[in-house]
C-alpha cells in the first residue's frame, strides 16, 4: 500500500462532486479493515456503517439529504452512512474482556451513552476518512441530512443513531473552492 502525507493530509480535500463510480465490496471491506484500528475509550468501537452502493440506495440517501447536499450525494456511486450504537457496551465481553461484566455503562442514561458513543464514533469517522484516502479514494464528509429520515430508511436497529455521511470514489477537483485556512500552531496550541 502506497500513501503519503500529501494523499491523506496536505493535498486531500473534502470533495463535493464525484464521478458516479461504485466501489467494490472488497474495497469497502479494505477501508473498514484499516479504519477499525482507531483508538476508542475502553475499545468501545461504537461506529456502525451502512454502505449505499447501488443507484437505488444512493437515490434513497439523496432524498434524505438537506437541499444543499442532494446534488452532491447524487453525483456519487457509493457512500458510507456512519452511525453509532447506543448499546455499544453489549460488545464489551469481546472488545474489553478485562472489564467487569456487566459494565457500568449498562446503568447509564441514554444521554450519557449518546455523548460517549458520539465522541468515540467521531474518532472512528476521522480514521475512516484517513483509511479511505490511504487506499486511494476521495471522501466527501457531510452532516447535512435529515437524521430521522436516514435512521428510518437505512437502520434496522433502533439503537443506531446517524452521525454523518462520507461520499466515496473519485472526486472532481475542478469543482472545489480554494482550500480554506487552518488555525496556525500558535493560534491552536500551547506548549507548557
Ligand atoms: C462532520 C462533517 C460534516 C460536514 N458537513 C458538510 C455538509 O453537510 N455539506 C458539505 O458540503 N460539506 C460538509 N462538510 C465538509 C467540510 O465543510 C470540509 O471538511 C471543510 O470545509 C474542510 O474542507 P477541506 O477538507 O477541503 O479542506 C462536513 C465535514 C465534516 C467532517
Amino acid at each position: 500500500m502506497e500513501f503519503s502525507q500529501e494523499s491523506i493530509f496536505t493535498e486531500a480535500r473534502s470533495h463535493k462532486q464525484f464521478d458516479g463510480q461504485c466501489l467494490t465490496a472488497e474495497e469497502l471491506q479494505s477501508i473498514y479493515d484499516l479504519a477499525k484500528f482507531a483508538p476508542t475509550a475502553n475499545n468501545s468501537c461504537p461506529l456502525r456503517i451502512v454502505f449505499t452502493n447501488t443507484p437505488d440506495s444512493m437515490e434513497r440517501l439523496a432524498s434524505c439529504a438537506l437541499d444543499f447536499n442532494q446534488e452532491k450525494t447524487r453525483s456519487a456511486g457509493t457512500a458510507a452512512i456512519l452511525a453509532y450504537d447506543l448499546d455499544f457496551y453489549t460488545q464489551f465481553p469481546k472488545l474489553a474482556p478485562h472489564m467487569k461484566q456487566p459494565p457500568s455503562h449498562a446503568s447509564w442514561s441514554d444521554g450519557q451513552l449518546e455523548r460517549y458513543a458520539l465522541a468515540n464514533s467521531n474518532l472512528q469517522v476521522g480514521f475512516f476518512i484517513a483509511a479511505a484516502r490511504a487506499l486511494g479514494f476521495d471522501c466527501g464528509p457531510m452532516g447535512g441530512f435529515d437524521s430521522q429520515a436516514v435512521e428510518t430508511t437505512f437502520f434496522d436497529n433502533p439503537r443506531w443513531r446517524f452521525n454523518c455521511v462520507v461520499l466515496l470514489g473519485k472526486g472532481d477537483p475542478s469543482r472545489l473552492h480554494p482550500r480554506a485556512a487552518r488555525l496556525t500552531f500558535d493560534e491552536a496550541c500551547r506548549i507548557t
Side-chain angles (χ1 to χ4, degrees), residues 12-13 15 18 132-133 136-140 166-173:
R13 295 294 312 275
H15 280 270
F18 288 77
R133 288 173 171 174
F137 302 107
D138 291 321
C139 293
V166 178
L167 304 179
L168 292 164
K170 177 90 192 94
D172 180 352

Side-chain angles (χ1 to χ4, degrees), residues 12-14 16 68-69 72 133 141-144 164 179 182:
R13 295 294 312 275
S14 298
K16 312 286 180 187
F68 55 94
N69 284 331
K72 299 167 196 169
R133 288 173 171 174
M142 297 192 300
C164 65
R179 171 89 93 178
R182 299 299 201 259

